[in-house]
């Protein structure tokens, strides 16, 4: 019998089950958020569906006890692996005072949690890339043993922040890994109208770093490539660009109608490449996952999602005065 692919990568059965469970947790939280949005209970959803394999496979290749990540707004799989909880994410969706990202100030998907080394994001796309590069520069200056990992969509790779961050990282050989989650659409603009080159990874040569395009629906392939890039960064050999090709299985956001620019046939084709049943099938063929175990995992996840939903919905909103915190100096007494 041939060695299972995950064993060839040095991953145990427990490792791949954890990858699968985190992918499934991201999907179930995301699905619940859509239901809550349609019920008028949460204002906005920006989805990770179809990109969980790229996110969790990459995150698993990092050291979550010391590396820093600067995720983009779809990266529920990354932040779950780094230590955010379903409750944290639901508090964010409901914009409650306990939301660890911003205390209910930011839109959902603007992740940030210092204790888990998740750098806070902002609404303009790609601003997280220079931030990740800056933290990598700090690692190099201080001689500290950590790397940074940042993600973005392929549409974001056309922004000036991408060029500036990549160029700076390449010139200074900084310990960072940049992963583009190429889901084929920048909101409604298809990839062929975004790139003059075939792959985003082709751009890496201009910044003096290796670029690799990988199947983003396969967490093991993404793990392998990101692990190689992370090891390279730790050795002091500089940054890498990884392009994980995946599919966005939902509209851009809950405010978008993708039927205006994607036909039903295209969506049906992409749904056949859904990474979650695909990875579940691999695990079953490898003798790691049974139908019984899969049911246990789903039941455990749904219990956590239900508890997180109930908790977040009942949690208090921030006081209106909280909007003034961290913006201007708070002064005592009357003006």
């Amino acid at each position: 019998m041939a060695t299972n692919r995950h064993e060839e990568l040095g991953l145990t059965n427990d490792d791949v089950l954890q990858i699968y469970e985190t992918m499934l947790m991201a999907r179930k939280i995301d699905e619940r958020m859509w239901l809550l949005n349609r019920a008028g209970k949460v204002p906005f959803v920006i989805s990770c569906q179809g990109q969980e394999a790229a996110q969790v496979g990459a995150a698993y290749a990092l050291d979550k006890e010391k590396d820093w990540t600067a995720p983009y707004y779809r990266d529920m799989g990354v932040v779950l692996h780094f230590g955010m909880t379903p409750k944290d994410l639901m508090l964010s969706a409901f914009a409650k005072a306990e939301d660890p990202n911003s205390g209910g100030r930011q839109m959902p998907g603007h992740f940030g949690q210092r204790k888990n080394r998740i750098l806070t994001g902002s609404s303009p796309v790609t601003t997280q890339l220079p931030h990740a590069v800056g933290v990598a520069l700090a690692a190099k200056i201080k001689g500290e043993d950590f790397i940074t990992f940042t993600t973005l969509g392929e549409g974001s790779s056309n922004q000036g922040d991408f060029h500036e961050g990549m160029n700076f990282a390449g010139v200074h050989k900084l310990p960072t890994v940049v992963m583009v989650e190429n889901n084929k659409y920048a909101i409604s603009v298809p990839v062929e109208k975004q790139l003059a080159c075939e792959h985003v990874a082709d751009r890496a040569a201009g910044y003096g770093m290796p670029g690799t395009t990988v199947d983003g629906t396969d967490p093991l392939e993404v793990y392998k490539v990101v692990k190689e890039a992370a090891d390279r960064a730790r050795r002091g050999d500089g940054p890498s660009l990884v392009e994980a090709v995946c599919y966005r299985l939902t509209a851009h956001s809950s405010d978008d109608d993708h039927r205006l620019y994607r036909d039903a046939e295209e969506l049906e084709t992409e749904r056949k490449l859904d990474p979650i049943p695909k990875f579940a099938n691999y695990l079953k063929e490898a003798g790691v996952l049974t139908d019984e175990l899969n049911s246990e995992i789903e039941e455990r996840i749904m219990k956590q999602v239900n508890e997180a939903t109930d908790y977040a919905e009942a949690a208090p909103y921030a006081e209106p005065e909280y909007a003034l915190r961290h913006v201007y100096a708070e002064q005592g007494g009357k003006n």
Side-chain angles (χ1 to χ4, degrees):
M1 180 175 162
T3 306
N4 290 327
R5 285 171 52 221
H6 65 274
E7 292 174 347
E8 293 172 356
L9 296 172
L11 293 169
T12 65
N13 289 352
D14 285 343
D15 287 329
V16 289
L17 282 172
Q18 184 60 56
I19 289 171
Y20 175 67
E21 187 161 337
T22 305
M23 287 170 59
L24 194 57
M25 176 65 83
R27 175 66 61 89
K28 295 300 183 183
I29 293 172
D30 197 287
E31 289 175 345
R32 173 61 55 81
M33 287 177 175
W34 278 95
L35 290 174
L36 291 166
N37 172 264
R38 294 312 192 229
K41 292 186 175 183
V42 306
F44 186 76
V45 182
I46 192 142
S47 194
C48 68
Q49 292 185 41
Q51 298 178 219
E52 298 95 341
Q55 295 168 5
V56 183
Y60 215 85
L62 306 169
D63 187 335
K64 66 177 181 178
E65 302 304 322
K66 63 182 180 181
D67 293 338
W68 286 75
T69 183
Y72 94 127
Y73 48 74
R74 296 195 191 279
D75 271 339
M76 202 179 295
V78 172
V79 299
L80 280 168
H81 178 73
F82 264 74
M84 292 199 86
T85 66
K87 186 188 290 185
D88 291 338
L89 294 167
M90 279 298 175
L91 285 164
S92 173
F94 279 97
K96 295 301 180 74
E98 288 180 69
D99 162 32
N101 299 282
S102 68
R105 293 154 156 260
Q106 286 265 44
M107 294 168 65
H110 291 57
F111 308 111
Q113 195 174 42
R114 184 179 179 84
K115 72 175 183 179
N116 286 315
R117 291 164 308 288
I118 300 168
L119 297 173
T120 190
S122 63
S123 292
V125 297
T126 332
T127 53
Q128 69 275 11
L129 200 157
H131 296 163
V133 168
V135 175
L137 177 63
K140 186 169 184 177
I141 290 171
K142 292 182 174 182
E144 294 186 10
D145 180 28
F146 67 84
I147 69 169
T148 63
F149 171 72
T150 189
T151 57
L152 56 147
E154 85 290 344
S156 295
S157 73
N158 302 314
Q159 301 293 314
D161 292 88
F162 178 83
H163 169 74
E164 292 168 29
M166 294 288 285
N167 192 61
F168 194 89
V171 167
H172 297 283
K173 294 186 70 175
L174 298 180
T176 193
V177 178
V178 177
M179 185 172 82
V180 173
E181 296 177 33
N182 181 354
N183 66 16
K184 308 296 183 70
Y185 282 93
I187 307 184
S188 60
V189 181
V191 67
E192 60 269 17
K193 292 186 178 179
Q194 299 176 51
L195 305 177
C197 51
E198 186 177 357
H199 300 292
V200 178
D202 296 340
R203 295 172 166 176
Y207 304 114
M209 65 180 77
T212 306
T213 300
V214 65
D215 178 1
T217 68
D218 184 340
L220 299 181
E221 285 300 307
V222 178
Y223 171 86
K224 178 184 177 185
V225 169
V226 173
K227 182 74 166 57
E228 289 168 355
D231 290 346
R232 182 173 184 272
R234 290 187 210 285
R235 290 195 305 268
D237 292 339
S240 302
L241 174 62
V242 176
E243 176 188 15
V245 179
C246 43
Y247 302 91
R248 196 187 78 201
L249 299 181
T250 68
H252 170 73
S253 74
S254 54
D255 291 345
D256 173 47
D257 183 355
H258 60 173
R259 292 172 299 179
L260 299 175
Y261 54 88
R262 295 209 279 190
D263 60 36
E265 185 179 352
E266 179 184 341
L267 282 168
E268 185 60 33
T269 300
E270 293 188 356
R271 288 208 171 276
K272 292 175 183 174
L273 299 165
D274 187 329
I276 290 179
K278 180 179 173 184
F279 194 47
N281 288 338
Y282 163 79
L283 294 175
K284 288 175 181 176
E285 289 172 5
V288 177
L289 184 68
T290 62
D291 288 339
E292 184 181 10
L293 179 56
N294 196 38
S295 295
E296 286 176 20
I297 291 170
E298 287 202 12
E299 188 175 328
R300 181 167 64 247
I301 286 172
M302 289 314 300
K303 184 172 185 290
Q304 292 181 67
V305 172
N306 290 335
E307 288 173 352
T309 304
D310 292 344
Y311 182 91
E313 189 169 8
Y317 288 102
E319 295 298 323
E321 293 77 15
Y322 183 65
L324 300 176
R325 290 189 191 173
H326 316 303
V327 180
Y328 301 105
E330 292 176 300
Q331 298 177 3
K334 294 181 179 180
N335 292 329

